[in-house]
Amino acid sequence: MAFGSLLEHVGGMGRFQVVSVLLLSLPVLMMASHNLLQNFTAATSAHQCRPRPEANASGLDPEVLLRVWVPRGERCRRFVTPQWWLLEANGSEPNSSWPETEPCGDGWTYDRSVFTSTIVTEWDLVCSSRGLKQLAQSLYMAGVLVGGFFGGLSDRFGRRSVLTWCYLQMAAMGTCSSFAPTFTVYCLFRFLTGMAFSGIVLNSVSLSLEWMPTHMRALVGTFMGYCYTTGQFLLAGVAFAVPDWRRLQLVVSLPFFGFFLYSWWLTESARWLVMVGKSHQALQELQKVARINGKKEEGDKLDIEVKDSIGSPRTLRSHMEKEMTSSKTRHTLVDLVRTPVLRRISFCLCFVWFSTSFAYYGLAMDLQNFEVNIYVIQLIFGAVDIPAKLMSILTITYVGRRFTQAITLILAGLAILANVLVPRELRTVRTALAVFGKGCLAASFNCVFLYTGELYPTVIRCPRELRVSHRQTGMGLANTMSRLGSIMAPLVKMAGELFPALPFVIYGAAPVVSGLVAAFLPETRNMALPETVEEVEG
């Protein structure tokens, strides 16, 4: 009896599957709150140099002090001595040269009308230290990259066990971030939070899909994707209600303690249990699922039926190995570049994954650049994902993968590049172009995830001593390139110090080039998935 048949035997898409998907989707709602959190916790407010300490003893109004100590429009320097002539209605400069200035030696004063506190205002991440803000986001994304090792741990210790640990790590490290005494400690906790984020994503998807009937997997995957999109709306609302960064960090972290507690109820993947030789436990879990789905009698018969059909519960493992594997070859990254066509596919997909993630986070993590209400644009950026993903599904299905991949990337890049030419005064136009570009990149993500799985040879998948497939290896490489893109995006923002438009030129050029590169990928619409490298080469 194949495992898919066993699932149908115990209820198919029954009450157990519905409840499991809902419980696994709740944390996904909060994932965007951590991934995009620094849009709000690291927002930069208007700031000016603080006058020298002795100036406060004068008893003058703070606004008056700023006028005589800080040049108009200047954020990073102040006068060496107070310029009282600036208070005169028709005052003129005391001499032909502009008064001498110096760096801000006593900190800054900040506009706290929107954000009462951020990591920028707390640790003065402005002027010569403003690059540290981008570094903090890159370190978080580096944690997401390193957290990929949780995928390997789940093959060794189980999906549910690793997922439960990641919930606890996310809750604990997120909470610790809100109490971080220094910027360095904050970055450390954010790195560890990023690791937990990666583990939750990987194991939530695995645990949900491995209990799903085959015909429901696409629907469940789409549903969880839209949960993340909905989470972007949630982030905007929570950030508006909680303008203090420490409290906001705490609010989005505490729910994961609840997820940690109820995760003990989640059922371990029976597929994983079988593949590591725990066939008896797998049968017990299947019987538990049958009871929850109202199929208790079928569950009680399951042990007898499996024994009759395959000899004994222990032989279920070898039976499923035959179902899930067809080769004893162990594949590595070298196999992805060993043959000409597979080498071309790997190169193109790496470029596509990197550019999509790079440009996506370049836009999504720079909301203040558009000079409109940051909460409104967060809502709009989240909302555009819904029609974008729907449109991509239609073009993927009826036009083709290659066309969808190429056109979404090229249009996204052109929209970002066009924004470089639009005057900053035309905020509506700039925002519309950015929203269109972000939507195209969301559609590109939707397409490339499916496309990658179809281009590599069929999965030959098992943990530890069993087989690893080209497709699994290829998806791992793609995930790595995507994370590298998200790490680089904040760092490229620092190039704006040399030339303000340079980051957006880079953000726009990358997807245009990768869109052209995507045209060299083979089309997979209405084609059978390749089973071997030879079929790919053919």
Side-chain angles (χ1 to χ4, degrees), residues 156-431:
R156 183 176 181 85
F157 299 107
R159 315 309 192 215
R160 194 200 70 174
S161 299
V162 174
L163 181 61
T164 297
W165 169 261
C166 288
Y167 284 152
L168 179 60
Q169 181 172 326
M170 175 71 86
M173 295 302 100
T175 300
C176 288
S177 297
S178 67
F179 293 102
T182 65
F183 177 72
T184 302
V185 174
Y186 169 81
C187 288
L188 173 62
F189 286 137
R190 284 287 287 167
F191 177 85
L192 295 172
T193 302
M195 289 178 61
F197 175 94
S198 188
I200 291 172
V201 171
L202 290 171
N203 290 287
S204 293
V205 172
S206 295
L207 195 56
S208 62
L209 296 186
E210 288 177 5
W211 274 113
M212 289 299 123
T214 303
H215 68 280
M216 293 300 296
R217 290 182 183 176
L219 180 61
V220 170
T222 301
F223 173 74
M224 295 188 76
Y226 276 116
C227 283
Y228 181 85
T229 298
T230 305
Q232 296 183 55
F233 301 145
L234 182 64
L235 172 60
V238 173
F240 179 78
V242 187
D244 179 88
W245 83 267
R246 290 187 182 273
R247 293 179 182 177
L248 177 58
Q249 179 77 50
L250 190 63
V251 166
V252 300
S253 300
L254 288 179
F256 284 90
F257 283 112
F259 304 147
F260 163 73
L261 292 176
Y262 78 57
S263 67
W264 293 97
W265 179 89
L266 297 174
T267 302
E268 183 56 86
S269 168
R271 290 178 183 267
W272 176 80
L273 289 170
V274 169
M275 298 315 299
V276 295
K278 299 181 180 180
S279 302
H280 286 287
Q281 187 178 343
L283 286 174
Q284 291 173 3
E285 298 292 5
L286 285 167
Q287 289 170 343
K288 171 186 171 182
V289 171
R291 289 195 300 272
I292 296 174
N293 285 343
K295 301 281 186 177
K296 186 178 185 301
E297 292 183 3
E298 286 78 357
D300 292 338
K301 297 175 184 177
L302 187 61
D303 186 56
I304 298 173
E305 291 181 3
V306 172
K307 284 182 179 180
D308 290 343
S309 62
I310 60 177
S312 69
R314 187 169 296 278
T315 60
L316 181 59
R317 183 186 186 193
S318 60
H319 179 78
M320 286 188 62
E321 285 183 31
K322 292 178 182 178
E323 174 193 344
M324 299 175 69
T325 66
S326 60
S327 171
K328 293 187 178 181
T329 304
R330 186 175 182 85
H331 301 292
T332 65
L333 287 174
V334 176
D335 293 300
L336 300 182
V337 295
R338 183 166 289 163
T339 57
V341 176
L342 208 53
R343 182 163 55 244
R344 186 179 81 235
I345 289 173
S346 298
F347 170 77
C348 293
L349 286 177
C350 282
F351 202 8
V352 167
W353 274 100
F354 177 87
S355 299
T356 302
S357 182
F358 174 70
Y360 182 92
Y361 285 102
L363 285 178
M365 293 305 301
D366 193 29
L367 301 187
Q368 286 189 300
N369 179 68
F370 305 106
E371 298 178 354
V372 296
N373 187 293
I374 191 171
Y375 304 107
V376 173
I377 192 140
Q378 176 63 57
L379 285 172
I380 296 173
F381 265 35
V384 73
D385 283 10
I386 298 175
K389 290 179 179 179
L390 287 175
M391 186 62 68
S392 71
I393 291 172
L394 292 176
T395 56
I396 285 169
T397 304
Y398 297 106
V399 181
R401 279 67 160 159
R402 178 169 55 191
F403 171 83
T404 303
Q405 192 64 73
I407 198 67
T408 53
L409 284 167
I410 291 173
L411 289 177
L414 292 176
I416 297 172
L417 290 173
N419 241 342
V420 176
L421 305 176
V422 177
R424 299 193 69 86
E425 295 76 24
L426 301 178
R427 297 177 183 176
T428 303
V429 177
R430 287 171 52 80
T431 302

Side-chain angles (χ1 to χ4, degrees), residues 86-105:
L86 289 172
L87 296 178
E88 301 174 12
N90 297 314
S92 58
E93 297 181 25
N95 50 53
S96 58
S97 61
W98 186 252
E100 185 181 357
T101 60
E102 63 181 1
C104 305

Side-chain angles (χ1 to χ4, degrees), residues 24-77:
L24 289 168
S25 297
L26 283 176
V28 175
L29 276 173
M30 301 299 297
M31 301 307 284
S33 296
H34 281 276
N35 224 21
L36 305 174
L37 187 62
Q38 277 200 199
N39 274 327
F40 302 97
T41 59
T44 302
S45 303
H47 53 276
Q48 291 178 310
C49 286
R50 186 176 285 123
R52 291 193 176 193
E54 58 267 23
N56 296 324
S58 63
L60 294 175
D61 185 87
E63 292 187 5
V64 174
L65 287 176
L66 287 176
R67 284 186 63 186
V68 300
W69 278 101
V70 181
R72 180 173 297 180
E74 179 59 61
R75 293 186 171 191
C76 299
R77 298 187 70 83

Side-chain angles (χ1 to χ4, degrees), residues 10-23 212 265 288-295:
V10 297
M13 188 65 183
R15 187 184 302 120
F16 168 82
Q17 279 77 11
V18 172
V19 173
S20 293
V21 168
L22 290 177
L23 290 178
M212 289 299 123
W265 179 89
K288 171 186 171 182
V289 171
R291 289 195 300 272
I292 296 174
N293 285 343
K295 301 281 186 177

